[in-house]
Amino acid sequence: MNPRRALLYMPGDSRPKIEKAISLQVDSICMDMEDGTAHNRKQKAREVIAQALQELDFGRSEKLIRINGIGTGLERDDLDLTLPHHPDGVVVPKVESVNQLEWLNAQLEAAETAHGWERHSLRVLAIIESAKGIINLKEIATHPRLDALIFGAEDYAASIGATRTKNGMEVLFARSQVVLHAKANNLQAIDVVFVNFKDTVNLKIDALLGAQLGFTGKQIIHPNQISPVQAAFSPNDAEIDYAQRLLAAFKSAEAEGKGAIDFEGKMIDMPLVLSARQIIERAKAAGKLE
Ligand code: COA
Ligand code: MG
């Protein structure tokens, strides 16, 4: 599974923004037909996305489409026009029940069969952004087509009648639930959009909080957000060095039959070894280690 440290949205009707995104080396490019696209531009967005998928080389960036919510009546046209041009995956908003994923799965299976693509090669990333979505997470998160759960804070806050605050306490419970269910099912967890796209200082703080909570990446909306976010979700050199030293020390201790050791003044046992291994894996995925 590709690392998706930064998942950049742009309105699907904007060919210039799609082209710009491709030039920026972002992990995932998500061409939006949902809320980033005005109602009277939905059809235009489908056409622009179809053409972009046919004509443009996305390089190392993943190419995703975001459809309208399942049940809105727009989702079938979104899929019919864009799916034949083989995006890597579909981001589906406002997921509230596993039945919606079952419906999508059937459409994707049909496309895979019709085009002779590998089964399950079209991946799904589900956005959880309502009270119902959180309550039904346990069932939703087990769907085998899923690669990732995404948390949508703005829609979630609206769904529960919360007021957004700077520190985000009002969404913390749901934000953590998304991480919990993602990790229990071996899925990526992709964090909230930081909407003040000119405020890089607070973006970094928010991205770091997401990484500390266990998220593996973050949704973004502007080119300025790519590099701070990709950095926040990649281990830094000091962390990689520490993890390597810790693993080496643990390996020699293990050979001597010890399960817990004193490492640079700190007690190290299995949970910390597992965290260190995760840092090494993330460093490899980010291209910082062979
Ligand atoms: N993806 C790709 N390129 C983008 C981009 C995005 N999300 N947002 C801005 N750019 C480009 C602009 O086109 C511009 O390119 P240029 O210098 O080649 O002309 C450059 O980056 C600088 O953009 P800027 O002028 O600072 O912003 P803007 O006024 O053009 O756009 C927004 C501001 C918020 C409208 C825009 O960032 C946007 O559309 N974001 C995505 C919104 C979205 O998809 N929402 C739904 C998901 S939550
Ligand atoms: Mg939303």
Side-chain angles (χ1 to χ4, degrees), residues 4 30 33 62-68 70 75 78-79 82-83 87-93 101 103-104 108 121-127 145-148 150:
R4 299 184 178 98
C30 185
M33 291 173 272
E62 180 183 42
K63 41 191 189 208
L64 300 173
I65 56 166
R66 183 164 79 168
I67 60 171
N68 286 279
I70 294 167
E75 67 280 20
D78 294 343
L79 289 171
T82 57
L83 216 48
D88 295 320
V90 178
V91 174
V92 53
L101 294 184
W103 179 85
L104 179 60
L108 300 184
S121 58
L122 294 164
R123 305 305 303 164
V124 170
L125 298 82
I127 311 184
R145 182 70 74 158
L146 283 177
D147 258 9
I150 301 177

PDB file of all heavy atoms in Angstrom, residues 4 30 33 62-68 70 75 78-79 82-83 87-93 101 103-104 108 121-127 145-148 150:
ATOM      1  N   ARG A   4       0.290   7.384   2.153  1.00  0.00           N
ATOM      2  CA  ARG A   4      -0.490   8.566   1.755  1.00  0.00           C
ATOM      3  C   ARG A   4      -0.329   9.584   2.870  1.00  0.00           C
ATOM      4  O   ARG A   4      -1.215   9.772   3.687  1.00  0.00           O
ATOM      5  CB  ARG A   4      -1.971   8.220   1.575  1.00  0.00           C
ATOM      6  CG  ARG A   4      -2.245   7.179   0.500  1.00  0.00           C
ATOM      7  CD  ARG A   4      -3.733   6.972   0.316  1.00  0.00           C
ATOM      8  NE  ARG A   4      -4.037   6.012  -0.731  1.00  0.00           N
ATOM      9  CZ  ARG A   4      -4.322   4.731  -0.521  1.00  0.00           C
ATOM     10  NH1 ARG A   4      -4.337   4.244   0.707  1.00  0.00           N
ATOM     11  NH2 ARG A   4      -4.602   3.930  -1.534  1.00  0.00           N
ATOM     12  N   CYS A  30      -6.363  13.915  -5.291  1.00  0.00           N
ATOM     13  CA  CYS A  30      -7.766  13.521  -5.252  1.00  0.00           C
ATOM     14  C   CYS A  30      -8.630  14.541  -5.990  1.00  0.00           C
ATOM     15  O   CYS A  30      -8.851  15.657  -5.501  1.00  0.00           O
ATOM     16  CB  CYS A  30      -8.225  13.354  -3.804  1.00  0.00           C
ATOM     17  SG  CYS A  30      -9.900  12.729  -3.742  1.00  0.00           S
ATOM     18  N   MET A  33     -15.354  15.535  -7.001  1.00  0.00           N
ATOM     19  CA  MET A  33     -16.652  15.837  -7.616  1.00  0.00           C
ATOM     20  C   MET A  33     -17.673  16.199  -6.530  1.00  0.00           C
ATOM     21  O   MET A  33     -18.786  16.566  -6.836  1.00  0.00           O
ATOM     22  CB  MET A  33     -17.151  14.618  -8.415  1.00  0.00           C
ATOM     23  CG  MET A  33     -16.307  14.349  -9.649  1.00  0.00           C
ATOM     24  SD  MET A  33     -16.738  12.809 -10.496  1.00  0.00           S
ATOM     25  CE  MET A  33     -15.708  11.625  -9.623  1.00  0.00           C
ATOM     26  N   GLU A  62      -0.396   9.071  -6.580  1.00  0.00           N
ATOM     27  CA  GLU A  62      -1.583   8.236  -6.722  1.00  0.00           C
ATOM     28  C   GLU A  62      -2.724   9.082  -7.289  1.00  0.00           C
ATOM     29  O   GLU A  62      -2.878  10.248  -6.936  1.00  0.00           O
ATOM     30  CB  GLU A  62      -1.977   7.722  -5.341  1.00  0.00           C
ATOM     31  CG  GLU A  62      -3.199   6.838  -5.368  1.00  0.00           C
ATOM     32  CD  GLU A  62      -3.616   6.389  -3.978  1.00  0.00           C
ATOM     33  OE1 GLU A  62      -3.580   7.220  -3.046  1.00  0.00           O
ATOM     34  OE2 GLU A  62      -3.975   5.221  -3.833  1.00  0.00           O
ATOM     35  N   LYS A  63      -3.537   8.503  -8.175  1.00  0.00           N
ATOM     36  CA  LYS A  63      -4.655   9.268  -8.739  1.00  0.00           C
ATOM     37  C   LYS A  63      -5.983   8.746  -8.201  1.00  0.00           C
ATOM     38  O   LYS A  63      -6.376   7.607  -8.443  1.00  0.00           O
ATOM     39  CB  LYS A  63      -4.620   9.248 -10.272  1.00  0.00           C
ATOM     40  CG  LYS A  63      -4.261   7.914 -10.857  1.00  0.00           C
ATOM     41  CD  LYS A  63      -3.978   8.007 -12.337  1.00  0.00           C
ATOM     42  CE  LYS A  63      -3.844   6.588 -12.874  1.00  0.00           C
ATOM     43  NZ  LYS A  63      -3.007   6.420 -14.016  1.00  0.00           N
ATOM     44  N   LEU A  64      -6.632   9.615  -7.443  1.00  0.00           N
ATOM     45  CA  LEU A  64      -7.892   9.242  -6.801  1.00  0.00           C
ATOM     46  C   LEU A  64      -9.005  10.147  -7.309  1.00  0.00           C
ATOM     47  O   LEU A  64      -8.769  11.291  -7.696  1.00  0.00           O
ATOM     48  CB  LEU A  64      -7.774   9.428  -5.280  1.00  0.00           C
ATOM     49  CG  LEU A  64      -6.695   8.611  -4.571  1.00  0.00           C
ATOM     50  CD1 LEU A  64      -6.594   9.024  -3.096  1.00  0.00           C
ATOM     51  CD2 LEU A  64      -6.988   7.120  -4.671  1.00  0.00           C
ATOM     52  N   ILE A  65     -10.229   9.610  -7.278  1.00  0.00           N
ATOM     53  CA  ILE A  65     -11.399  10.445  -7.546  1.00  0.00           C
ATOM     54  C   ILE A  65     -12.250  10.465  -6.281  1.00  0.00           C
ATOM     55  O   ILE A  65     -12.329   9.468  -5.564  1.00  0.00           O
ATOM     56  CB  ILE A  65     -12.243   9.903  -8.723  1.00  0.00           C
ATOM     57  CG1 ILE A  65     -12.668   8.438  -8.480  1.00  0.00           C
ATOM     58  CG2 ILE A  65     -11.470  10.001 -10.039  1.00  0.00           C
ATOM     59  CD1 ILE A  65     -13.754   7.950  -9.410  1.00  0.00           C
ATOM     60  N   ARG A  66     -12.851  11.621  -5.980  1.00  0.00           N
ATOM     61  CA  ARG A  66     -13.846  11.632  -4.904  1.00  0.00           C
ATOM     62  C   ARG A  66     -15.223  11.785  -5.538  1.00  0.00           C
ATOM     63  O   ARG A  66     -15.478  12.763  -6.245  1.00  0.00           O
ATOM     64  CB  ARG A  66     -13.599  12.750  -3.892  1.00  0.00           C
ATOM     65  CG  ARG A  66     -14.629  12.672  -2.747  1.00  0.00           C
ATOM     66  CD  ARG A  66     -14.240  13.485  -1.535  1.00  0.00           C
ATOM     67  NE  ARG A  66     -14.516  14.900  -1.680  1.00  0.00           N
ATOM     68  CZ  ARG A  66     -14.470  15.775  -0.668  1.00  0.00           C
ATOM     69  NH1 ARG A  66     -14.135  15.366   0.552  1.00  0.00           N
ATOM     70  NH2 ARG A  66     -14.711  17.046  -0.883  1.00  0.00           N
ATOM     71  N   ILE A  67     -16.069  10.804  -5.271  1.00  0.00           N
ATOM     72  CA  ILE A  67     -17.430  10.822  -5.809  1.00  0.00           C
ATOM     73  C   ILE A  67     -18.354  11.525  -4.814  1.00  0.00           C
ATOM     74  O   ILE A  67     -17.959  11.812  -3.684  1.00  0.00           O
ATOM     75  CB  ILE A  67     -17.946   9.388  -6.092  1.00  0.00           C
ATOM     76  CG1 ILE A  67     -17.976   8.538  -4.806  1.00  0.00           C
ATOM     77  CG2 ILE A  67     -17.089   8.717  -7.154  1.00  0.00           C
ATOM     78  CD1 ILE A  67     -18.672   7.189  -4.968  1.00  0.00           C
ATOM     79  N   ASN A  68     -19.573  11.787  -5.244  1.00  0.00           N
ATOM     80  CA  ASN A  68     -20.576  12.298  -4.312  1.00  0.00           C
ATOM     81  C   ASN A  68     -21.079  11.148  -3.444  1.00  0.00           C
ATOM     82  O   ASN A  68     -20.939   9.970  -3.796  1.00  0.00           O
ATOM     83  CB  ASN A  68     -21.716  12.947  -5.093  1.00  0.00           C
ATOM     84  CG  ASN A  68     -21.286  14.295  -5.655  1.00  0.00           C
ATOM     85  OD1 ASN A  68     -21.284  15.304  -4.945  1.00  0.00           O
ATOM     86  ND2 ASN A  68     -20.865  14.311  -6.917  1.00  0.00           N
ATOM     87  N   ILE A  70     -22.923   8.255  -1.459  1.00  0.00           N
ATOM     88  CA  ILE A  70     -23.777   7.187  -1.993  1.00  0.00           C
ATOM     89  C   ILE A  70     -25.184   7.361  -1.426  1.00  0.00           C
ATOM     90  O   ILE A  70     -25.365   7.349  -0.198  1.00  0.00           O
ATOM     91  CB  ILE A  70     -23.163   5.816  -1.672  1.00  0.00           C
ATOM     92  CG1 ILE A  70     -21.849   5.713  -2.456  1.00  0.00           C
ATOM     93  CG2 ILE A  70     -24.121   4.686  -2.026  1.00  0.00           C
ATOM     94  CD1 ILE A  70     -20.964   4.587  -2.043  1.00  0.00           C
ATOM     95  N   GLU A  75     -23.877   9.809  -7.519  1.00  0.00           N
ATOM     96  CA  GLU A  75     -22.722   8.911  -7.462  1.00  0.00           C
ATOM     97  C   GLU A  75     -22.600   8.005  -8.686  1.00  0.00           C
ATOM     98  O   GLU A  75     -21.502   7.687  -9.124  1.00  0.00           O
ATOM     99  CB  GLU A  75     -22.758   8.088  -6.168  1.00  0.00           C
ATOM    100  CG  GLU A  75     -23.901   7.075  -6.023  1.00  0.00           C
ATOM    101  CD  GLU A  75     -25.233   7.673  -5.584  1.00  0.00           C
ATOM    102  OE1 GLU A  75     -25.417   8.886  -5.741  1.00  0.00           O
ATOM    103  OE2 GLU A  75     -26.095   6.910  -5.099  1.00  0.00           O
ATOM    104  N   ASP A  78     -21.067   9.924 -11.514  1.00  0.00           N
ATOM    105  CA  ASP A  78     -19.650  10.165 -11.172  1.00  0.00           C
ATOM    106  C   ASP A  78     -18.806   8.951 -11.566  1.00  0.00           C
ATOM    107  O   ASP A  78     -17.758   9.085 -12.210  1.00  0.00           O
ATOM    108  CB  ASP A  78     -19.474  10.395  -9.657  1.00  0.00           C
ATOM    109  CG  ASP A  78     -20.128  11.675  -9.170  1.00  0.00           C
ATOM    110  OD1 ASP A  78     -20.438  12.548  -9.993  1.00  0.00           O
ATOM    111  OD2 ASP A  78     -20.333  11.788  -7.934  1.00  0.00           O
ATOM    112  N   LEU A  79     -19.294   7.775 -11.185  1.00  0.00           N
ATOM    113  CA  LEU A  79     -18.533   6.548 -11.464  1.00  0.00           C
ATOM    114  C   LEU A  79     -18.559   6.203 -12.952  1.00  0.00           C
ATOM    115  O   LEU A  79     -17.525   5.867 -13.537  1.00  0.00           O
ATOM    116  CB  LEU A  79     -19.107   5.366 -10.656  1.00  0.00           C
ATOM    117  CG  LEU A  79     -18.857   5.407  -9.153  1.00  0.00           C
ATOM    118  CD1 LEU A  79     -19.657   4.308  -8.457  1.00  0.00           C
ATOM    119  CD2 LEU A  79     -17.370   5.248  -8.828  1.00  0.00           C
ATOM    120  N   THR A  82     -16.068   8.386 -14.976  1.00  0.00           N
ATOM    121  CA  THR A  82     -14.635   8.452 -14.641  1.00  0.00           C
ATOM    122  C   THR A  82     -13.972   7.077 -14.484  1.00  0.00           C
ATOM    123  O   THR A  82     -12.814   6.901 -14.842  1.00  0.00           O
ATOM    124  CB  THR A  82     -14.418   9.245 -13.335  1.00  0.00           C
ATOM    125  OG1 THR A  82     -15.175   8.626 -12.295  1.00  0.00           O
ATOM    126  CG2 THR A  82     -14.849  10.692 -13.496  1.00  0.00           C
ATOM    127  N   LEU A  83     -14.735   6.116 -13.961  1.00  0.00           N
ATOM    128  CA  LEU A  83     -14.139   4.804 -13.662  1.00  0.00           C
ATOM    129  C   LEU A  83     -13.499   4.112 -14.870  1.00  0.00           C
ATOM    130  O   LEU A  83     -12.428   3.497 -14.723  1.00  0.00           O
ATOM    131  CB  LEU A  83     -15.233   3.915 -13.046  1.00  0.00           C
ATOM    132  CG  LEU A  83     -14.813   2.945 -11.952  1.00  0.00           C
ATOM    133  CD1 LEU A  83     -13.955   3.604 -10.901  1.00  0.00           C
ATOM    134  CD2 LEU A  83     -16.047   2.318 -11.326  1.00  0.00           C
ATOM    135  N   PRO A  87      -8.832   5.237 -12.464  1.00  0.00           N
ATOM    136  CA  PRO A  87      -8.140   5.857 -11.326  1.00  0.00           C
ATOM    137  C   PRO A  87      -7.560   4.739 -10.449  1.00  0.00           C
ATOM    138  O   PRO A  87      -7.911   3.572 -10.632  1.00  0.00           O
ATOM    139  CB  PRO A  87      -9.278   6.575 -10.583  1.00  0.00           C
ATOM    140  CG  PRO A  87     -10.519   5.824 -10.958  1.00  0.00           C
ATOM    141  CD  PRO A  87     -10.294   5.292 -12.358  1.00  0.00           C
ATOM    142  N   ASP A  88      -6.676   5.096  -9.515  1.00  0.00           N
ATOM    143  CA  ASP A  88      -6.143   4.075  -8.597  1.00  0.00           C
ATOM    144  C   ASP A  88      -7.157   3.730  -7.518  1.00  0.00           C
ATOM    145  O   ASP A  88      -7.099   2.649  -6.934  1.00  0.00           O
ATOM    146  CB  ASP A  88      -4.857   4.585  -7.932  1.00  0.00           C
ATOM    147  CG  ASP A  88      -3.744   4.791  -8.947  1.00  0.00           C
ATOM    148  OD1 ASP A  88      -3.604   3.948  -9.855  1.00  0.00           O
ATOM    149  OD2 ASP A  88      -3.028   5.812  -8.847  1.00  0.00           O
ATOM    150  N   GLY A  89      -8.029   4.683  -7.218  1.00  0.00           N
ATOM    151  CA  GLY A  89      -8.985   4.397  -6.156  1.00  0.00           C
ATOM    152  C   GLY A  89     -10.057   5.462  -6.064  1.00  0.00           C
ATOM    153  O   GLY A  89     -10.005   6.487  -6.762  1.00  0.00           O
ATOM    154  N   VAL A  90     -11.031   5.175  -5.205  1.00  0.00           N
ATOM    155  CA  VAL A  90     -12.187   6.049  -5.047  1.00  0.00           C
ATOM    156  C   VAL A  90     -12.276   6.489  -3.589  1.00  0.00           C
ATOM    157  O   VAL A  90     -12.238   5.654  -2.679  1.00  0.00           O
ATOM    158  CB  VAL A  90     -13.491   5.291  -5.426  1.00  0.00           C
ATOM    159  CG1 VAL A  90     -14.713   6.176  -5.227  1.00  0.00           C
ATOM    160  CG2 VAL A  90     -13.410   4.783  -6.864  1.00  0.00           C
ATOM    161  N   VAL A  91     -12.373   7.795  -3.402  1.00  0.00           N
ATOM    162  CA  VAL A  91     -12.620   8.333  -2.062  1.00  0.00           C
ATOM    163  C   VAL A  91     -14.127   8.546  -1.957  1.00  0.00           C
ATOM    164  O   VAL A  91     -14.724   9.218  -2.807  1.00  0.00           O
ATOM    165  CB  VAL A  91     -11.868   9.666  -1.856  1.00  0.00           C
ATOM    166  CG1 VAL A  91     -12.246  10.302  -0.520  1.00  0.00           C
ATOM    167  CG2 VAL A  91     -10.361   9.439  -1.922  1.00  0.00           C
ATOM    168  N   VAL A  92     -14.734   7.956  -0.945  1.00  0.00           N
ATOM    169  CA  VAL A  92     -16.185   8.038  -0.829  1.00  0.00           C
ATOM    170  C   VAL A  92     -16.560   8.788   0.452  1.00  0.00           C
ATOM    171  O   VAL A  92     -16.154   8.392   1.544  1.00  0.00           O
ATOM    172  CB  VAL A  92     -16.854   6.638  -0.967  1.00  0.00           C
ATOM    173  CG1 VAL A  92     -16.268   5.626  -0.039  1.00  0.00           C
ATOM    174  CG2 VAL A  92     -18.351   6.718  -0.771  1.00  0.00           C
ATOM    175  N   PRO A  93     -17.266   9.909   0.298  1.00  0.00           N
ATOM    176  CA  PRO A  93     -17.570  10.745   1.460  1.00  0.00           C
ATOM    177  C   PRO A  93     -18.804  10.251   2.210  1.00  0.00           C
ATOM    178  O   PRO A  93     -19.587   9.457   1.695  1.00  0.00           O
ATOM    179  CB  PRO A  93     -17.848  12.110   0.823  1.00  0.00           C
ATOM    180  CG  PRO A  93     -18.462  11.780  -0.496  1.00  0.00           C
ATOM    181  CD  PRO A  93     -17.798  10.506  -0.957  1.00  0.00           C
ATOM    182  N   LEU A 101     -20.772   0.762   1.149  1.00  0.00           N
ATOM    183  CA  LEU A 101     -19.524   0.207   0.606  1.00  0.00           C
ATOM    184  C   LEU A 101     -19.804  -1.037  -0.225  1.00  0.00           C
ATOM    185  O   LEU A 101     -19.118  -1.295  -1.222  1.00  0.00           O
ATOM    186  CB  LEU A 101     -18.540  -0.108   1.736  1.00  0.00           C
ATOM    187  CG  LEU A 101     -18.006   1.096   2.514  1.00  0.00           C
ATOM    188  CD1 LEU A 101     -16.968   0.645   3.532  1.00  0.00           C
ATOM    189  CD2 LEU A 101     -17.403   2.146   1.581  1.00  0.00           C
ATOM    190  N   TRP A 103     -22.446  -1.511  -2.057  1.00  0.00           N
ATOM    191  CA  TRP A 103     -22.925  -1.019  -3.352  1.00  0.00           C
ATOM    192  C   TRP A 103     -21.736  -0.578  -4.220  1.00  0.00           C
ATOM    193  O   TRP A 103     -21.620  -0.969  -5.384  1.00  0.00           O
ATOM    194  CB  TRP A 103     -23.895   0.165  -3.149  1.00  0.00           C
ATOM    195  CG  TRP A 103     -24.389   0.717  -4.451  1.00  0.00           C
ATOM    196  CD1 TRP A 103     -25.445   0.263  -5.178  1.00  0.00           C
ATOM    197  CD2 TRP A 103     -23.795   1.789  -5.210  1.00  0.00           C
ATOM    198  NE1 TRP A 103     -25.554   0.989  -6.351  1.00  0.00           N
ATOM    199  CE2 TRP A 103     -24.565   1.930  -6.394  1.00  0.00           C
ATOM    200  CE3 TRP A 103     -22.702   2.639  -5.003  1.00  0.00           C
ATOM    201  CZ2 TRP A 103     -24.272   2.895  -7.365  1.00  0.00           C
ATOM    202  CZ3 TRP A 103     -22.412   3.590  -5.981  1.00  0.00           C
ATOM    203  CH2 TRP A 103     -23.194   3.712  -7.139  1.00  0.00           C
ATOM    204  N   LEU A 104     -20.834   0.179  -3.613  1.00  0.00           N
ATOM    205  CA  LEU A 104     -19.668   0.659  -4.358  1.00  0.00           C
ATOM    206  C   LEU A 104     -18.809  -0.521  -4.818  1.00  0.00           C
ATOM    207  O   LEU A 104     -18.349  -0.572  -5.962  1.00  0.00           O
ATOM    208  CB  LEU A 104     -18.847   1.611  -3.479  1.00  0.00           C
ATOM    209  CG  LEU A 104     -17.580   2.176  -4.100  1.00  0.00           C
ATOM    210  CD1 LEU A 104     -17.879   2.972  -5.370  1.00  0.00           C
ATOM    211  CD2 LEU A 104     -16.839   3.078  -3.104  1.00  0.00           C
ATOM    212  N   LEU A 108     -17.374  -1.464  -8.538  1.00  0.00           N
ATOM    213  CA  LEU A 108     -15.948  -1.592  -8.829  1.00  0.00           C
ATOM    214  C   LEU A 108     -15.635  -2.974  -9.390  1.00  0.00           C
ATOM    215  O   LEU A 108     -14.850  -3.124 -10.331  1.00  0.00           O
ATOM    216  CB  LEU A 108     -15.113  -1.317  -7.569  1.00  0.00           C
ATOM    217  CG  LEU A 108     -15.298   0.071  -6.948  1.00  0.00           C
ATOM    218  CD1 LEU A 108     -14.353   0.266  -5.766  1.00  0.00           C
ATOM    219  CD2 LEU A 108     -15.075   1.190  -7.957  1.00  0.00           C
ATOM    220  N   SER A 121      -8.187  -4.253  -7.569  1.00  0.00           N
ATOM    221  CA  SER A 121      -7.110  -3.284  -7.829  1.00  0.00           C
ATOM    222  C   SER A 121      -7.603  -1.850  -7.637  1.00  0.00           C
ATOM    223  O   SER A 121      -6.809  -0.945  -7.407  1.00  0.00           O
ATOM    224  CB  SER A 121      -6.529  -3.477  -9.229  1.00  0.00           C
ATOM    225  OG  SER A 121      -7.545  -3.343 -10.213  1.00  0.00           O
ATOM    226  N   LEU A 122      -8.896  -1.621  -7.741  1.00  0.00           N
ATOM    227  CA  LEU A 122      -9.435  -0.282  -7.445  1.00  0.00           C
ATOM    228  C   LEU A 122      -9.662  -0.211  -5.937  1.00  0.00           C
ATOM    229  O   LEU A 122     -10.456  -0.982  -5.390  1.00  0.00           O
ATOM    230  CB  LEU A 122     -10.775  -0.083  -8.165  1.00  0.00           C
ATOM    231  CG  LEU A 122     -10.742  -0.049  -9.693  1.00  0.00           C
ATOM    232  CD1 LEU A 122     -12.138  -0.251 -10.267  1.00  0.00           C
ATOM    233  CD2 LEU A 122     -10.170   1.272 -10.174  1.00  0.00           C
ATOM    234  N   ARG A 123      -8.979   0.707  -5.295  1.00  0.00           N
ATOM    235  CA  ARG A 123      -9.054   0.758  -3.827  1.00  0.00           C
ATOM    236  C   ARG A 123     -10.084   1.783  -3.365  1.00  0.00           C
ATOM    237  O   ARG A 123     -10.456   2.690  -4.121  1.00  0.00           O
ATOM    238  CB  ARG A 123      -7.679   1.098  -3.239  1.00  0.00           C
ATOM    239  CG  ARG A 123      -6.579   0.166  -3.690  1.00  0.00           C
ATOM    240  CD  ARG A 123      -6.901  -1.298  -3.417  1.00  0.00           C
ATOM    241  NE  ARG A 123      -7.178  -1.530  -1.999  1.00  0.00           N
ATOM    242  CZ  ARG A 123      -7.767  -2.617  -1.527  1.00  0.00           C
ATOM    243  NH1 ARG A 123      -8.161  -3.583  -2.351  1.00  0.00           N
ATOM    244  NH2 ARG A 123      -7.981  -2.756  -0.236  1.00  0.00           N
ATOM    245  N   VAL A 124     -10.522   1.643  -2.130  1.00  0.00           N
ATOM    246  CA  VAL A 124     -11.519   2.568  -1.594  1.00  0.00           C
ATOM    247  C   VAL A 124     -11.004   3.207  -0.297  1.00  0.00           C
ATOM    248  O   VAL A 124     -10.413   2.526   0.547  1.00  0.00           O
ATOM    249  CB  VAL A 124     -12.867   1.844  -1.333  1.00  0.00           C
ATOM    250  CG1 VAL A 124     -13.829   2.738  -0.563  1.00  0.00           C
ATOM    251  CG2 VAL A 124     -13.497   1.414  -2.659  1.00  0.00           C
ATOM    252  N   LEU A 125     -11.209   4.506  -0.196  1.00  0.00           N
ATOM    253  CA  LEU A 125     -10.892   5.247   1.027  1.00  0.00           C
ATOM    254  C   LEU A 125     -12.207   5.873   1.487  1.00  0.00           C
ATOM    255  O   LEU A 125     -12.855   6.601   0.725  1.00  0.00           O
ATOM    256  CB  LEU A 125      -9.870   6.353   0.751  1.00  0.00           C
ATOM    257  CG  LEU A 125      -8.476   5.917   0.248  1.00  0.00           C
ATOM    258  CD1 LEU A 125      -8.471   5.662  -1.257  1.00  0.00           C
ATOM    259  CD2 LEU A 125      -7.426   6.966   0.584  1.00  0.00           C
ATOM    260  N   ALA A 126     -12.621   5.555   2.708  1.00  0.00           N
ATOM    261  CA  ALA A 126     -13.939   5.989   3.182  1.00  0.00           C
ATOM    262  C   ALA A 126     -13.806   7.165   4.139  1.00  0.00           C
ATOM    263  O   ALA A 126     -13.030   7.102   5.102  1.00  0.00           O
ATOM    264  CB  ALA A 126     -14.636   4.835   3.894  1.00  0.00           C
ATOM    265  N   ILE A 127     -14.567   8.220   3.862  1.00  0.00           N
ATOM    266  CA  ILE A 127     -14.558   9.368   4.787  1.00  0.00           C
ATOM    267  C   ILE A 127     -15.674   9.182   5.806  1.00  0.00           C
ATOM    268  O   ILE A 127     -16.844   8.971   5.447  1.00  0.00           O
ATOM    269  CB  ILE A 127     -14.748  10.716   4.067  1.00  0.00           C
ATOM    270  CG1 ILE A 127     -13.811  10.836   2.864  1.00  0.00           C
ATOM    271  CG2 ILE A 127     -14.517  11.870   5.038  1.00  0.00           C
ATOM    272  CD1 ILE A 127     -13.863  12.191   2.161  1.00  0.00           C
ATOM    273  N   ARG A 145     -12.540  -4.084   0.807  1.00  0.00           N
ATOM    274  CA  ARG A 145     -12.113  -3.214  -0.294  1.00  0.00           C
ATOM    275  C   ARG A 145     -11.359  -1.988   0.231  1.00  0.00           C
ATOM    276  O   ARG A 145     -10.714  -1.263  -0.517  1.00  0.00           O
ATOM    277  CB  ARG A 145     -13.373  -2.813  -1.073  1.00  0.00           C
ATOM    278  CG  ARG A 145     -13.221  -1.964  -2.264  1.00  0.00           C
ATOM    279  CD  ARG A 145     -12.573  -2.599  -3.474  1.00  0.00           C
ATOM    280  NE  ARG A 145     -13.383  -3.538  -4.208  1.00  0.00           N
ATOM    281  CZ  ARG A 145     -13.159  -3.874  -5.495  1.00  0.00           C
ATOM    282  NH1 ARG A 145     -12.171  -3.330  -6.167  1.00  0.00           N
ATOM    283  NH2 ARG A 145     -13.901  -4.779  -6.078  1.00  0.00           N
ATOM    284  N   LEU A 146     -11.432  -1.754   1.529  1.00  0.00           N
ATOM    285  CA  LEU A 146     -10.876  -0.513   2.088  1.00  0.00           C
ATOM    286  C   LEU A 146      -9.359  -0.538   2.226  1.00  0.00           C
ATOM    287  O   LEU A 146      -8.775  -1.549   2.597  1.00  0.00           O
ATOM    288  CB  LEU A 146     -11.452  -0.266   3.485  1.00  0.00           C
ATOM    289  CG  LEU A 146     -12.870   0.275   3.598  1.00  0.00           C
ATOM    290  CD1 LEU A 146     -13.251   0.359   5.070  1.00  0.00           C
ATOM    291  CD2 LEU A 146     -12.975   1.648   2.942  1.00  0.00           C
ATOM    292  N   ASP A 147      -8.758   0.622   1.962  1.00  0.00           N
ATOM    293  CA  ASP A 147      -7.344   0.860   2.235  1.00  0.00           C
ATOM    294  C   ASP A 147      -7.177   1.809   3.404  1.00  0.00           C
ATOM    295  O   ASP A 147      -6.159   1.810   4.074  1.00  0.00           O
ATOM    296  CB  ASP A 147      -6.715   1.587   1.049  1.00  0.00           C
ATOM    297  CG  ASP A 147      -5.910   0.667   0.181  1.00  0.00           C
ATOM    298  OD1 ASP A 147      -5.970  -0.551   0.386  1.00  0.00           O
ATOM    299  OD2 ASP A 147      -5.222   1.192  -0.717  1.00  0.00           O
ATOM    300  N   ALA A 148      -8.165   2.702   3.553  1.00  0.00           N
ATOM    301  CA  ALA A 148      -7.969   3.797   4.511  1.00  0.00           C
ATOM    302  C   ALA A 148      -9.305   4.315   5.017  1.00  0.00           C
ATOM    303  O   ALA A 148     -10.317   4.262   4.315  1.00  0.00           O
ATOM    304  CB  ALA A 148      -7.219   4.941   3.837  1.00  0.00           C
ATOM    305  N   ILE A 150     -10.771   7.961   6.518  1.00  0.00           N
ATOM    306  CA  ILE A 150     -10.443   9.385   6.546  1.00  0.00           C
ATOM    307  C   ILE A 150     -11.422  10.051   7.496  1.00  0.00           C
ATOM    308  O   ILE A 150     -12.616   9.721   7.479  1.00  0.00           O
ATOM    309  CB  ILE A 150     -10.614   9.985   5.126  1.00  0.00           C
ATOM    310  CG1 ILE A 150      -9.698   9.261   4.118  1.00  0.00           C
ATOM    311  CG2 ILE A 150     -10.360  11.483   5.128  1.00  0.00           C
ATOM    312  CD1 ILE A 150      -9.863   9.735   2.668  1.00  0.00           C
TER     313      ILE A 150
END
